[in-house]
Amino acid sequence: MRLVLLGPPGAGKGTQAAALAAELGLAHIASGDLFREAVERGTELGLQAKSHMEQGKLVPNDITIRMILERLQAADARDGFIMDGFPRNLEQAQALDEALSQKGLALDKVVCLQVSTEELVRRLGGRWVCRRCQAPYHMVNNPPRVAGKCDRCGGELYQRPDDTEETIRKRLDVYLAETAPLLNYYRGQGKLVEVNGTPGVEAVSRELLSILKRR
Ligand code: AP5
Ligand code: MG
Ligand code: ZN
């Protein structure tokens, strides 16, 4: 299965993609996580991405598309993947379609998580993320078992530098201007499924699994 998970910042893409990937045996490919790893390691890619991310802007397409198409070559992605955070504009969506079609492949479904702006801001304001494996937590909705530590790997939790009120607003604007038009693109391909992302983490997971298994 080849899936894309769309949705505004804070919709639960990372949370749900990790759960689905584990449940369905898919590779979880998260552009934001790949960029943050590169920033942490101080690589060339990290240097190129850092200032764009801090401002809540998109990293330029050439850098982003190259990184994702490279990641797609890895063995774990061969039997299926779930993309989280990519594509984010039309050029990226077309580059993905093109790369897949060159291998005789195509996306199966594109799921968009819908959540109100008010709730998005609440979620991002209370989010803590693992520095090592990037698993997202929320101090109220989804707290770790031990304060400040990742359940999955024991890594240290931190608040993302782009989770400030001002940058959250910028990221929401960028989503509406650049990413939201992808809904029509995928609707036109008959692949779009819109899902209410407002219920709790487990309820949304169950709904996503039932949709994907119905396929
Ligand atoms: P990226 O890392 O992709 O961030 P984003 O799209 O802004 O999305 P988030 O990761 O903030 O939210 P999420 O939907 O994953 O929510 P989560 O599961 O964490 O991108 C960051 C930056 O990288 C971009 O701004 C850009 O600069 C760059 N970039 C990345 N991809 C790019 C691309 N393709 N092109 C160009 N630039 C790119 O959940 C949020 C919180 O809510 C958590 O606290 C969680 O615990 C909680 N929560 C989750 N689900 C629920 C629920 N059902 N109920 C209650 N709480 C919940
Ligand atoms: Mg995320
Ligand atoms: Zn971790």
Side-chain angles (χ1 to χ4, degrees), residues 66-203:
R66 196 177 331 120
M67 172 182 80
I68 291 294
L69 296 190
E70 228 171 86
R71 175 66 185 83
L72 264 182
Q73 306 289 339
D76 67 332
R78 212 166 296 151
D79 297 328
F81 57 77
I82 178 157
M83 293 261 175
D84 148 18
F86 183 95
R88 252 179 156 90
N89 58 29
L90 205 55
E91 193 181 327
Q92 293 182 9
Q94 286 165 339
L96 178 60
D97 279 350
E98 168 98 22
L100 289 173
S101 89
Q102 277 171 10
K103 296 189 205 157
L105 303 172
L107 290 174
D108 294 297
K109 267 198 177 21
V110 175
V111 179
C112 184
L113 293 172
Q114 307 283 14
V115 176
S116 73
T117 303
E118 209 188 343
E119 171 68 8
L120 295 173
V121 172
R122 216 174 4 241
R123 287 184 184 181
L124 293 174
R127 175 167 63 182
W128 288 76
V129 179
C130 175
R131 209 179 270 287
R132 204 184 294 159
C133 79
Q134 312 250 11
Y137 296 88
H138 190 280
M139 54 191 192
V140 180
N141 304 339
N142 182 27
R145 270 181 248 121
V146 179
K149 271 204 171 22
C150 177
D151 293 352
R152 217 191 283 163
C153 78
E156 176 210 358
L157 304 186
Y158 79 114
Q159 289 186 290
R160 273 172 43 180
D162 59 346
D163 277 349
T164 60
E165 208 183 305
E166 190 193 343
T167 314
I168 291 171
R169 218 171 303 121
K170 174 72 187 166
R171 284 157 58 205
L172 286 167
D173 288 347
V174 169
Y175 176 80
L176 287 178
E178 306 202 36
T179 310
L182 291 184
L183 296 192
N184 262 335
Y185 177 78
Y186 288 122
R187 200 175 280 127
Q189 295 186 353
K191 290 180 180 167
L192 184 70
V193 186
E194 292 178 89
V195 172
N196 179 6
T198 312
V201 171
E202 247 106 79

